[in-house]
């Protein structure tokens, strides 16, 4: 028997989220509303910020519906939509299987619950602008007794642990405030008078005072760029701490993060580890999305109902520019030194340099095709798919340097104008919007620059531009398997055949197009067995190669499937694919530019 508990307010959709048994990994959903005539319900096909159609409806189980207390047949319209005939009060009940540990869907076990509304909540058509109320019940299971709840949904009536009644002003808000439930650690801090908090689920020990102080400095410099706009009520870093993980998804007043237990500094440690710096870079990145993509956003995204793909050629702007700024804010917040910042830029430049795809796919095409490429990488991605985060960040760098060199503005001015013109009034940015604003504000003819950077596969003018800022850019050979670019003391010469092994295995992850490995007939998936009659392991592979002079041709045994095959492979010197950017002697003009950009 289903009883309707709707009150007199007709323009409201009520959801109840409960957890009958966390061991089942299922959320139980109940939806109540009142509607005249038939109602259509839809679940999003993708989640904003992650450009792949994921078909969240595939996790829905046991959907049933009632109208005015009588069970109603569900008429399925397509993979994500259905219709209910009849009239008056509607009750829906269903379960959602939640076992996705990423930040994009929903997860539930006895340790933790997390969900994005896009995985749980159907939108009744015509109710997109309606107020939603969501009751989230604390699970009664003893294993969840210490659970608390954190979300930026508006609390209406909640208990001390944060469970209870929440509201969202419309459907887009409902699905843009993820919910975290666990016996998490919570560290509150203030940024320019706005309450912020770091929520950590999962076992972790850290110097929370240091971490929140660092986060506060990063958030502050970002807010300063946009002159403390917009007004925020609060911000949450919802962080899932795991053994080994990395990722984040931006939301309008929070971000969902996944990171590694070892990322955090412990009390008493003062050095900046690579892992901790990477975590701060991730937080910086997601926080900048508060402006760039959440509010300064593509018209195509604003117009999308999240059903099918929303195409834009500008993801280099939304992700690449954000990636350029994420480490730059670490520098502006005095968390890293200029020399280290240049190392991070050099690592990005090296990633691009080592990917033959940069000569194959333009940045605009990489953006447009993200729906079939970036989120579905395969063994050939390094040869075929340009990474718009990496190349986009380097294009943003080049643009900032061109503006600083040839005009009176910087990329900061471009971002501020994008905010006041599009972000603040909630207007979608037309295609090519950032390029147009850069050109307008600077008074420069940037057509050639953008044609080359976005619509061609020509190399970027990194070295030429950096030189104008008193920075020496050198392209050198890698000195070890761990050399990702940046400064190195080593003069080691390493050998190269153009393949990458899967981490910890002797199986091939990918083969570089045109490399000795490809000429020898090797493919992704092949299992290397022996080089010149000596066994190959994940640990000794580069050492084995380094034993030969460049030009040597050596017998290589490998398995393809079950068959043992042999080939001969040419050993080459490591190519010049590794960048180093260093502060250099320069004239006063160049030093002044560098001072203005990097503060050194
Ligand atoms: Zn991003």
């Amino acid at each position: 028997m289903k009883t309707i508990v709707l009150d007199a307010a007709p323009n409201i959709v009520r959801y109840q989220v409960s957890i009958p048994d966390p061991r089942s990994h299922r959320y139980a959903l109940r939806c109540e509303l009142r509607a005249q005539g038939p109602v259509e319900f839809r679940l999003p096909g993708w989640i904003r910020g992650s450009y792949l159609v994921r078909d969240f409806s595939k996790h829905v189980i046991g959907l049933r519906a009632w109208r005015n207390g009588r069970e109603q047949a569900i008429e399925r319209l397509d993979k994500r939509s259905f219709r209910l005939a009849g009239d008056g009060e509607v009750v829906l009940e269903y379960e959602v299987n939640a076992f996705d540990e990423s930040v994009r869907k929903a997860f539930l076990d006895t340790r933790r619950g997390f969900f994005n509304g896009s995985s749980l909540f159907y939108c009744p058509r015509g109710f997109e602008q309606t107020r939603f109320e969501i009751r989230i019940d604390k699970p009664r299971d003893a294993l969840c007794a210490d659970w608390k709840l954190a979300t930026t949904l508006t609390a209406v009536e909640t208990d001390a642990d944060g469970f209870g009644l929440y509201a969202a002003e419309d459907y887009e808000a409902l699905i843009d405030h993820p919910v975290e439930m666990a016996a998490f650690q919570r560290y509150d801090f203030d940024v320019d008078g706005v309450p912020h908090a770091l929520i950590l689920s999962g076992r972790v020990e850290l110097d929370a005072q240091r971490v929140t102080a660092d986060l506060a400095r990063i958030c502050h410099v970002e807010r300063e760029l946009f002159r403390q706009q917009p007004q925020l009520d609060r911000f949450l870093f919802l962080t899932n701490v795991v053994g080994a993980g990395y990722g984040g998804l931006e939301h309008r007043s929070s971000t969902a993060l996944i990171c590694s237990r070892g990322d955090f500094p412990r009390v008493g440690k003062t050095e900046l580890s690579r892992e901790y710096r990477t975590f701060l870079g991730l937080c910086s990145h997601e926080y900048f999305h508060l402006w760039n993509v959440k509010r300064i956003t593509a018209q195509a995204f604003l117009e999308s109902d999240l059903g099918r793909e929303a195409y834009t050629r500008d993801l280099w702007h939304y992700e690449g520019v954000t990636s350029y700024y994420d480490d730059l804010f670490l520098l502006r917040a005095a968390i890293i030194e200029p020399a280290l910042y240049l190392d991070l830029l050099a690592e990005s430049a090296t990633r691009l340099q080592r990917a033959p795809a940069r000569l194959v796919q333009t940045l605009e095409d990489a953006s447009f095709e993200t729906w079939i490429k970036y989120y579905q990488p395969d063994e050939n991605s390094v040869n075929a798919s340009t990474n718009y985060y990496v190349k986009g960040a380097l294009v943003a760098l080049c643009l900032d340097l061109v503006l600083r060199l040839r005009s009176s503005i910087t990329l900061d001015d471009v971002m501020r104008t994008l905010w006041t013109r599009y972000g603040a009034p909630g207007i979608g940015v037309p295609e090519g919007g950032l390029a147009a604003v850069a050109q307008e504000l600077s008074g420069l003819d940037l057509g050639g620059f953008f044609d080359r950077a976005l619509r061609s596969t020509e190399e970027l003018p990194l070295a030429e531009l950096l030189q104008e800022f008193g920075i020496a850019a050198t392209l050198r050979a890698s000195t070890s398997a761990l050399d990702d670019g940046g400064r190195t003391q080593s003069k080691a010469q390493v050998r190269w055949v153009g393949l990458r092994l899967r981490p910890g295995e002797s199986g091939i992850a990918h083969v570089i197009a045109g490399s000795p490995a490809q000429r020898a007939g090797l493919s992704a998936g092949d299992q290397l067995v022996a080089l010149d009659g000596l066994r190959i392991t994940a640990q000794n592979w580069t050492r084995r190669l380094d034993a030969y002079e460049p030009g040597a041709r050596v017998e290589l045994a490998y398995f393809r499937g079950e068959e043992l095959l042999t080939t001969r492979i040419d050993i080459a010197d490591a190519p010049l694919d590794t960048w180093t950017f260093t502060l250099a002697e320069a004239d006063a003009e160049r030093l002044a530019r560098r001072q203005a950009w990097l503060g050194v």
Side-chain angles (χ1 to χ4, degrees):
M1 178 55 205
K2 308 291 154 187
T3 47
I4 292 286
V5 293
L6 285 175
D7 58 22
N11 287 320
I12 203 159
V13 179
R14 295 181 199 281
Y15 266 104
Q16 185 176 12
V17 182
S18 47
I19 300 172
D21 180 2
R23 294 164 194 78
S24 74
H25 312 295
R26 288 182 189 182
Y27 291 103
L29 275 294
R30 179 179 166 92
C31 174
E32 299 176 0
L33 62 115
R34 194 171 299 190
Q36 286 189 333
V39 197
E40 265 180 53
F41 289 85
R42 290 187 293 191
L43 208 55
W46 57 279
I47 182 167
R48 294 193 186 280
S50 185
Y51 308 102
L52 176 69
V53 174
R54 294 178 195 277
D55 289 332
F56 303 119
S57 53
K58 72 180 167 192
H59 303 296
V60 172
I61 303 166
L63 181 63
R64 294 177 71 186
W66 293 261
R67 293 206 80 162
N68 296 319
R70 287 190 56 180
E71 186 151 13
Q72 187 73 42
I74 286 159
E75 182 192 350
R76 296 196 185 274
L77 301 174
D78 59 29
K79 61 187 177 179
R80 68 186 187 104
S81 319
F82 62 89
R83 180 164 42 206
L84 292 181
D87 194 61
E89 296 151 330
V90 175
V91 172
L92 282 186
E93 285 190 358
Y94 54 98
E95 291 186 317
V96 174
N97 193 55
F99 204 57
D100 181 290
E101 282 202 86
S102 83
V103 292
R104 298 157 183 154
K105 291 185 177 177
F107 181 82
L108 178 63
D109 69 3
T110 53
R111 307 265 303 149
R112 171 177 178 258
F114 169 81
F115 65 81
N116 288 289
S118 42
S119 280
L120 260 57
F121 303 122
Y122 280 92
C123 183
R125 192 191 275 266
F127 287 74
E128 290 78 5
Q129 307 304 321
T130 302
R131 176 182 164 92
F132 285 72
E133 286 192 356
I134 314 97
R135 177 170 294 284
I136 307 173
D137 299 329
K138 184 169 182 173
R140 295 222 177 86
D141 199 285
L143 288 172
C144 309
D146 296 332
W147 280 21
K148 292 166 287 182
L149 185 151
T151 181
T152 45
L153 282 165
T154 305
V156 176
E157 195 180 350
T158 55
D159 64 20
D161 294 329
F163 289 90
L165 189 64
Y166 287 89
E169 67 268 25
D170 56 31
Y171 183 74
E172 275 291 335
L174 176 68
I175 62 173
D176 204 15
H177 295 284
V179 173
E180 175 78 25
M181 294 167 281
F184 51 66
Q185 302 176 51
R186 178 182 177 122
Y187 301 104
D188 289 283
F189 59 101
D190 173 279
V191 184
D192 307 316
V194 180
H196 286 55
L198 173 65
I199 308 287
L200 298 171
S201 293
R203 270 177 60 173
V204 57
E205 281 178 49
L206 75 162
D207 181 346
Q209 215 171 352
R210 176 179 170 190
V211 175
T212 52
D214 286 343
L215 285 177
R217 273 153 64 192
I218 294 165
C219 296
H220 171 71
V221 293
E222 299 199 18
R223 299 180 60 77
E224 282 294 291
L225 193 155
F226 293 99
R227 310 220 160 98
Q228 297 287 337
Q229 292 295 317
Q231 296 278 334
L232 280 187
D233 294 337
R234 60 202 174 284
F235 188 87
L236 294 181
F237 292 92
L238 301 170
T239 313
N240 181 24
V241 187
V242 299
Y246 174 84
L249 193 59
E250 61 274 12
H251 296 282
R252 63 179 65 181
S253 46
S254 64
T255 176
L257 306 172
I258 183 160
C259 72
S260 305
R261 199 155 287 128
D263 288 353
F264 295 97
R266 298 207 174 192
V267 175
K269 301 279 184 202
T270 53
E271 79 280 2
L272 181 72
S273 71
R274 186 181 180 89
E275 292 75 17
Y276 180 45
R277 195 248 306 139
T278 303
F279 172 75
L280 291 177
L282 174 65
C283 293
S284 173
H285 180 101
E286 301 304 339
Y287 199 76
F288 192 66
H289 275 315
L290 267 182
W291 295 273
N292 200 30
V293 97
K294 289 313 297 183
R295 291 168 174 84
I296 301 167
T297 198
Q299 206 167 337
F301 294 159
L302 274 190
E303 287 167 358
S304 170
D305 75 346
L306 305 176
R308 56 175 77 112
E309 296 83 351
Y311 294 99
T312 173
R313 290 176 174 78
D314 285 343
L315 273 178
W316 76 271
H317 158 192
Y318 299 106
E319 289 301 349
V321 171
T322 303
S323 297
Y324 168 58
Y325 272 108
D326 58 25
D327 287 335
L328 189 57
F329 284 126
L330 300 192
L331 176 72
R332 289 183 184 176
I335 287 170
I336 60 173
E337 298 286 326
L340 176 56
Y341 176 65
L342 291 176
D343 282 341
L344 302 180
L345 283 183
E347 287 182 15
S348 288
T350 300
R351 277 187 72 184
L352 182 65
Q353 199 71 38
R354 289 180 182 175
R358 78 186 189 287
L359 304 173
V360 174
Q361 192 188 38
T362 69
L363 206 40
E364 283 198 346
D365 284 348
S367 171
F368 198 83
E369 293 193 301
T370 185
W371 300 94
I372 48 170
K373 299 220 163 152
Y374 181 78
Y375 289 94
Q376 300 175 86
D378 61 27
E379 84 298 334
N380 195 43
S381 294
V382 70
N383 296 315
S385 300
T386 292
N387 183 320
Y388 52 79
Y389 287 80
V390 175
K391 186 173 179 184
L394 294 168
V395 169
L397 163 69
C398 291
L399 176 60
D400 197 14
L401 298 186
V402 165
L403 294 174
R404 288 168 184 273
L405 189 61
R406 291 167 50 197
S407 80
S408 58
I409 66 156
T410 73
L411 191 56
D412 289 359
D413 298 295
V414 175
M415 295 314 298
R416 267 193 294 270
T417 297
L418 286 167
W419 161 251
T420 51
R421 191 174 296 179
Y422 299 107
I427 298 169
V429 182
E431 288 290 281
L434 184 147
V437 167
Q439 172 137 328
E440 175 196 321
L441 293 189
S442 67
L444 298 171
D445 178 0
L446 295 171
F449 172 85
F450 284 114
D451 279 345
R452 175 176 176 179
L454 308 180
R455 292 177 281 276
S456 92
T457 55
E458 273 181 72
E459 303 281 11
L460 296 173
L462 290 170
E464 301 94 291
L465 282 169
L466 287 169
Q467 192 191 19
E468 297 298 330
F469 289 76
I471 290 154
T474 320
L475 202 49
R476 59 177 176 80
S478 171
T479 58
S480 81
L482 300 174
D483 181 3
D484 295 326
R487 291 165 295 171
T488 175
Q489 303 298 326
S490 170
K491 296 259 186 282
Q493 292 274 311
V494 290
R495 305 294 173 247
W496 182 83
V497 294
L499 62 80
R500 176 79 49 101
L501 298 183
R502 295 199 195 104
E505 292 182 41
S506 59
I508 299 178
H510 62 251
V511 172
I512 296 290
S515 67
Q518 191 178 65
R519 287 200 301 277
L522 295 171
S523 295
D526 290 346
Q527 203 74 35
L528 301 187
V529 176
L531 189 68
D532 202 8
L534 292 176
R535 183 176 168 187
I536 296 166
T537 65
Q539 290 70 35
N540 72 13
W541 164 241
T542 52
R543 217 167 348 114
R544 284 264 187 274
L545 278 183
D546 287 347
Y548 296 90
E549 288 301 313
R553 174 169 274 210
V554 186
E555 187 173 88
L556 178 70
Y558 62 100
F559 278 110
R560 176 163 299 170
E562 294 186 327
E563 294 182 39
L564 182 62
L565 304 175
T566 57
T567 183
R568 295 179 74 79
I569 191 164
D570 296 319
I571 311 280
D573 257 333
L576 302 180
D577 63 3
T578 308
W579 284 100
T580 305
F581 300 154
T582 48
L583 300 171
E585 305 272 317
D587 59 30
E589 210 180 341
R590 290 182 169 85
L591 290 181
R593 283 187 208 122
R594 191 173 81 193
Q595 179 71 34
W597 177 41
L598 298 182
V600 67

